[in-house]
Amino acid sequence: MLSLSFSTFRDRWRLFAGAIVAVALGVALVQSSLLVMVSTDRAPVPPGASGRVREQIREGYAGAATLLGMTVMLSVFLTVFIVGSTFAFTVAQRRRDLALLRLVGGGRGQLVLLLLAEALLLGLAGTALGAAAGVPATWAQARLLIALGFLPDGFAPVLWDSGAAVASACVGIAVSLAGVLAASRRAAKVRPLDALRDTGASARVMTPMRWLSGVSGLALTVLMVALAQSAELLGAMMLALGISITGGVALSALSPLVVPLAGRALGVALRRSTLGEIAQANLRDGVRRSASTAAPLIVLVALLVGLAGTLGSLALMSGEEQRRLVRGDLVVESPGAAAERIAAVPGVAAASPEVTVPISVTARHHEEGRSWRRTHYSGIVAVDPPAYRRAHKVRLLAGSFDRLRGRTIALGPGMAAEGVRVGSTVTARVGGHAVRLKVVAAFVPTLENYSETFLVPRDVVPAPVRAGGEAQTVVRVAPGTEPAQVRERVRAAGLGRARTVAQWADARTAEQQRGNLGILAVLMGMAGGYAVVAVINAVVIAGTERRAEFAAARVAGMSRPQVVRAALVESWAVTAIGLVLGCAVAGGALSGMLAASLRGAGRPLVAVPWTLLAAVTVGAFAVTGATSVWTTFSATRPRPVTLLTTRE
Amino acid sequence: MTQLSGPPPARSAAFPIAAELRDVSRVHGSGSAMVRALDGVSLAFPAGSWTAVMGPSGSGKSTLLHCAAGLERVTGGQVFLAGQEITGAPDAVLTRLRRKKIGFVFQSFNLMGSLTAEQNVALPLKLAGVRVPRGDVRAVLEAVGLGDRLRHRPRELSGGQQQRVAIARAMVTRPAVLFADEPTGALDSASARTVLSLLRRMVDEEGQAIAMVTHDPAAAARADTVVFLSDGRLVDRLDRPTAAQVAERLARLEAAPC
């Protein structure tokens, strides 16, 4: 059986090439992610680093671990998907061969074994390639995580670990075997009689499983879109993520139904030329082929545009929120020492200096019956409470902002969900002295990721310590004074950089956006890589499958360039359909964000990632076009007569 | 040429009737779309005898062959193969029978494109879990005149050669009955003659039972008996036929109003 698998494998390597690349990619990613995790474990925080640096490095490691975990899960899932669809394809294509095996005495179990053995070979080949690619992948991944700020500069990953190599090899083989399971079940259902039928009723494309997952996924998606119209912002965001995933999966499962339907709509444009007409007929006829090209595109566009749009919209809304929370004309960023002098600048009516100070706060956290102490270093801000109150819209969950004076502390927006209780006492270490502070107020959380964690009255922090911090000062200008004038004076006095509240909020938004997009870029870039493999795979398999069909078209009078063009038109039409359907899902996802922003802010705050969408569109057309032309060219290389007369 | 496959026949003694249909009917579809592909057909394929099945297109020839080989379930009647009733046999039993008792030869050769001639011939034995002595496989291929093509893939062989590989594959398990569906349909006349002589020799020298569906009167004339089907019924029978007789009967059947 293994020798039969081996000769099939050797004979049909082109069919398996995409799946091998997918497995190799998966193995390389799993291996590199494990190695980076092992390295963060082995690279301890440098001795002598300050508490704040330690906290930053630890948080970076935690962020990196989360990202790596998601990477591993996503790549395993996508690899199973690609291996599965490759084998589904080969089983459909090799129906006659499989039936023939049954005819000469092959049992059902033997057919399953045959496919498992092929998957094993594929897994081994992919694993070998992946293990080799894992070394550069680890290096590249570490560089990327450093660039994203998750890992400290100069972080050097371990490039080889036998444990990680064994684990990723196991993943590679397990993933290949898992991918083949569904296909091998289908292969076992091939009847020996199918070998005798020339056309052979090919397997139904819409299997019951496909119907079930497609229809239930679609129902769930529609329900979520409906719910999102009246959901709160965070609810709308979670729903948008859900819609992107279930909608993409549902439409790709239903693609054998949806793609020909969309093809009919596109047909009006295509039918004007003969080649277009042929392409459109093929689109309707080759359902499995069109669907398997469109499916990965639908999922990719839905996820990419849906997620990027959701996160972008969230950033827009958090910028809007910041703008509304600040009551002032200008925001000045300066060293802590300079902040106190801003109030004295002519034309300034009121100034609220807020200094991020290098102190630590140790607090007791309570959550679900557990309680622990933790020391915080970042986001601790010293404020002048009365000035702060005038310069901000203070929204509290609990306590009273008026009591923020003397030895007290308030929980900032970033600490709202951390389980520190109002009324408890925390310990602050200020310049080497321990100070006990009573928690008197807790702010409502904001949409921002890295907000203030604690606010302390500035008297708690001695002036020299405050002078070493970084300040932002909200300024209100005196009536009759132009904000631009004050801005110029602040600059001239060398006090710091002054911006309007709108500019400042936009900058904060942009920063948020950058962080989000960085993470998104890593995950989606990877998903995009897999989608490219899946699409190329589908186009290549479909092209080689159609040698006889192309030959018949040429005998009927089409020239080779015409055959190539017709195939190109067809695959571009499928690409367009995949992109449009993916955008439809993303649109559903963003509709909830639109509704939430209209309700919350009174104006639409939706970030449609146009650049990304344009890049994906151009990339998709380029990839499917190039692959289609290449496969059609190589499938039409032999003279048509030889293809029409030989069977095997 | 030497004998086809190893020791001389024990087959004719073991199963005097290699395959038999008793009052078999096969209905496709239902209601107004109902088609009676076979309608009360009784026919035996004895050992050491070559039976050709003829008839106009759509007369049920192929269905008859499929039912006799257990590839299609019958709607009514009984089917026997190598002394065993297979009418409602489960898949595992049919699989075992296909390994040991049945050989198939088709118009379109149906060889595995990725395997060499030698591997194709050894395949049924390997599937049955039998260790295959290389010498045996080689002997069978030599018997069909392909001793020098062992390592060739099907695409490197001519149609006639491919069909001879298919026959070698069918014979390697020493089946009780060989089912042939238009075995010469895709061959030129010289290759067709070679293949038919090969089949004739298997019947005469080894007592092989052959059931063959064909359109070609010349091919049918090499058989011991020709039966004619029309609209799913057996309508005529010729023993020791000549090509001219067969052609004349067939022409009459095809001309008859349905």
Side-chain angles (χ1 to χ4, degrees):
Chain A
M1 209 29 86
L2 198 65
S3 70
L4 185 59
S5 297
F6 188 73
S7 59
T8 322
F9 195 73
R10 187 187 47 201
D11 236 40
R12 297 176 180 264
W13 69 268
R14 226 185 252 240
L15 283 183
F16 293 120
I20 292 177
V21 170
V23 172
L25 215 58
V27 168
L29 278 171
V30 169
Q31 187 177 323
S32 69
S33 303
L34 285 176
L35 283 175
V36 172
M37 279 196 233
V38 167
S39 314
T40 58
D41 222 34
R42 287 190 194 160
V45 179
S50 71
R52 195 161 170 189
V53 170
R54 277 209 303 275
E55 188 185 50
Q56 270 170 358
I57 292 179
R58 262 203 305 272
E59 279 187 358
Y61 282 177
T66 313
L67 186 59
L68 292 173
M70 281 153 82
T71 307
V72 167
M73 266 163 41
L74 193 63
S75 71
V76 165
F77 170 77
L78 292 172
T79 309
V80 172
F81 178 77
I82 293 183
V83 173
S85 61
T86 301
F87 273 103
F89 235 134
T90 69
V91 167
Q93 207 180 25
R94 289 158 57 195
R95 203 172 176 73
R96 242 180 116 93
D97 269 7
L98 294 171
L100 187 65
L101 273 177
R102 295 277 284 130
L103 200 59
V104 296
R108 286 194 174 134
Q110 285 175 313
L111 254 57
V112 172
L113 266 180
L114 172 75
L115 285 175
L116 284 179
E118 285 177 18
L120 186 68
L121 285 173
L122 184 148
L124 286 174
T127 300
L129 284 176
V135 176
T138 307
W139 180 84
Q141 203 169 28
R143 303 291 315 164
L144 190 68
L145 288 169
I146 292 170
L148 287 174
F150 283 116
L151 298 179
D153 286 337
F155 179 87
V158 186
L159 288 180
W160 183 257
D161 180 89
S162 50
V166 169
S168 50
C170 289
V171 167
I173 289 165
V175 152
S176 314
L177 293 180
V180 83
L181 281 181
S184 67
R185 251 202 331 270
R186 208 165 316 145
K189 285 197 197 125
V190 172
R191 296 177 316 153
L193 196 56
D194 294 338
L196 302 183
R197 300 227 164 104
D198 254 5
T199 47
S202 63
R204 273 184 310 162
V205 181
M206 286 302 295
T207 56
M209 207 43 220
R210 234 187 148 123
W211 271 109
L212 186 71
S213 62
V215 170
S216 58
L218 194 63
L220 189 62
T221 309
V222 170
L223 179 72
M224 284 196 289
V225 171
L227 281 179
Q229 303 308 315
S230 53
E232 287 202 46
L233 181 62
L234 281 180
M237 191 184 85
M238 296 317 287
L239 284 170
L241 300 183
I243 292 164
S244 305
I245 295 167
T246 58
V249 170
L251 279 190
S252 73
L254 292 176
S255 55
L257 297 180
V258 182
V259 172
L261 214 64
R264 201 163 297 176
L266 208 61
V268 182
L270 286 178
R271 231 172 289 140
R272 279 194 214 134
S273 72
T274 318
L275 288 187
E277 204 176 332
I278 292 171
Q280 198 232 343
N282 283 337
L283 200 66
R284 264 205 322 265
D285 191 48
V287 172
R288 181 186 292 277
R289 181 171 69 228
S290 325
S292 56
T293 310
L297 281 177
I298 297 176
V299 174
L300 180 71
V301 173
L303 276 178
L304 214 55
V305 176
L307 294 192
T310 305
L311 293 181
S313 307
L314 187 69
L316 274 186
M317 280 182 232
S318 82
E320 176 76 10
E321 184 187 52
Q322 289 301 319
R323 199 172 314 186
R324 286 175 182 222
L325 285 177
V326 171
R327 292 172 173 158
D329 302 305
L330 298 173
V331 177
V332 182
E333 278 165 20
S334 68
E340 320 258 321
R341 306 201 327 252
I342 292 171
V345 172
V348 172
S352 164
E354 294 141 29
V355 188
T356 304
V357 283
I359 67 172
S360 74
V361 172
T362 306
R364 181 161 286 279
H365 297 250
H366 299 267
E367 205 170 83
E368 289 170 2
R370 290 182 309 125
S371 106
W372 68 96
R373 285 167 72 80
R374 196 181 137 196
T375 305
H376 302 268
Y377 298 90
S378 48
I380 304 165
V381 182
V383 300
D384 172 14
Y388 188 90
R389 158 138 263 171
R390 280 192 297 275
H392 293 268
K393 193 167 160 185
V394 174
R395 297 181 304 174
L396 295 183
L397 278 177
S400 152
F401 193 76
D402 293 334
R403 290 176 57 201
L404 188 66
R405 68 177 105 84
R407 299 201 154 188
T408 57
I409 193 167
L411 305 175
M415 215 19 74
E418 298 287 319
V420 179
R421 288 174 181 164
V422 173
S424 66
T425 308
V426 302
T427 309
R429 290 201 79 81
V430 185
H433 301 285
V435 188
R436 291 174 63 76
L437 304 171
K438 192 171 164 66
V439 179
V440 293
F443 276 72
V444 168
T446 58
L447 296 173
E448 278 192 324
N449 273 343
Y450 312 102
S451 316
E452 296 84 354
T453 50
F454 293 99
L455 282 80
V456 291
R458 61 175 171 179
D459 313 334
V460 170
V461 185
V465 177
R466 283 209 310 270
E470 288 166 15
Q472 85 182 14
T473 307
V474 179
V475 170
R476 187 180 303 166
V477 299
T481 316
E482 276 296 304
Q485 259 177 320
V486 176
R487 216 164 126 188
E488 189 49 39
R489 281 179 204 145
V490 168
R491 204 180 58 80
L495 289 177
R497 186 158 69 126
R499 285 184 288 192
T500 64
V501 170
Q503 284 170 333
W504 165 81
D506 284 347
R508 266 178 97 124
T509 305
E511 195 148 334
Q512 283 266 311
Q513 189 93 295
R514 251 201 309 283
N516 283 337
L517 285 182
I519 295 172
L520 196 71
V522 175
L523 293 178
M524 292 300 124
M526 199 176 75
Y530 275 102
V532 168
V533 173
V535 168
I536 292 182
N537 202 20
V539 174
V540 167
I541 293 176
T544 35
E545 192 183 26
R546 295 170 73 189
R547 286 161 157 259
E549 183 194 324
F550 290 148
R554 287 175 73 194
V555 170
M558 277 170 84
S559 70
R560 193 170 167 202
Q562 276 178 318
V563 172
V564 172
R565 273 210 299 279
L568 178 66
V569 170
E570 185 191 330
S571 49
W572 271 354
V574 172
T575 308
I577 292 168
L579 291 173
V580 167
L581 291 177
C583 285
V585 173
L590 291 185
S591 72
M593 299 298 281
L594 176 69
S597 70
L598 281 178
R599 253 197 329 278
R603 62 194 185 96
L605 287 171
V606 174
V608 180
W610 294 114
T611 335
L612 185 68
L613 188 57
V616 170
T617 306
V618 170
F621 278 109
V623 166
T624 55
T627 319
S628 165
V629 167
W630 176 67
T631 41
T632 322
F633 250 113
S634 58
T636 49
R637 191 163 297 137
R639 294 212 333 276
V641 175
T642 59
L643 283 178
L644 287 178
T645 47
T646 56
R647 296 288 304 268
E648 302 296 338
Chain B
M1 274 195 263
T2 56
Q3 255 202 337
L4 257 186
S5 51
R11 275 186 285 258
S12 42
F15 306 109
I17 301 296
E20 188 180 1
L21 303 175
R22 283 189 200 158
D23 196 25
V24 163
S25 46
R26 171 78 175 122
V27 177
H28 296 295
S30 59
S32 58
M34 194 170 85
V35 177
R36 271 186 191 283
L38 289 180
D39 192 0
V41 171
S42 293
L43 182 63
F45 300 101
S49 171
W50 181 352
T51 310
V53 182
M54 298 198 80
S57 306
S59 59
K61 300 184 299 282
S62 292
T63 309
L64 185 147
L65 202 71
H66 296 163
C67 287
L71 294 175
E72 245 181 273
R73 299 241 177 248
V74 298
T75 318
Q78 288 171 295
V79 183
F80 294 86
L81 235 168
Q84 186 180 354
E85 177 165 7
I86 59 157
T87 316
D91 182 72
V93 171
L94 291 174
T95 302
R96 232 176 4 256
L97 277 173
R98 280 199 295 276
R99 276 180 198 162
K100 301 256 171 75
K101 305 288 185 205
I102 311 177
F104 291 100
V105 176
F106 311 103
Q107 174 175 5
S108 52
F109 321 139
N110 275 334
L111 299 173
M112 300 287 288
S114 56
L115 300 182
T116 61
E118 201 177 6
Q119 288 172 319
N120 262 294
V121 171
L123 187 60
L125 292 172
K126 279 196 181 155
L127 287 171
V130 177
R131 263 201 50 75
V132 194
R134 273 201 112 145
D136 283 14
V137 172
R138 200 160 298 177
V140 176
L141 272 168
E142 269 163 14
V144 297
L146 291 175
D148 54 343
R149 295 281 189 276
L150 298 175
R151 300 281 165 82
H152 288 57
R153 305 269 182 96
R155 59 175 166 272
E156 297 157 346
L157 298 171
S158 74
Q161 288 171 331
Q162 287 189 48
Q163 192 61 300
R164 281 185 278 155
V165 174
I167 290 175
R169 183 181 65 190
M171 297 316 298
V172 78
T173 58
R174 299 170 197 177
V177 54
L178 175 69
F179 290 103
D181 193 349
E182 301 273 10
T184 56
L187 301 181
D188 62 90
S189 53
S191 301
R193 263 197 305 281
T194 315
V195 164
L196 289 170
S197 300
L198 205 57
L199 294 177
R200 187 69 249 170
R201 209 147 43 78
M202 285 168 12
V203 177
D204 293 342
E205 291 175 8
E206 296 177 58
Q208 180 66 51
I210 297 181
M212 174 180 81
V213 162
T214 185
H215 264 110
D216 177 10
R222 302 294 297 272
D224 297 303
T225 307
V226 184
V227 295
F228 294 90
L229 268 181
S230 178
D231 293 331
R233 280 176 223 207
L234 280 181
V235 290
D236 207 347
R237 180 186 179 97
L238 275 175
D239 287 316
R240 302 273 148 208
T242 65
Q245 283 173 317
V246 173
E248 184 258 336
R249 296 281 169 98
L250 196 60
R252 236 189 317 171
L253 269 182
E254 278 175 347
C258 304

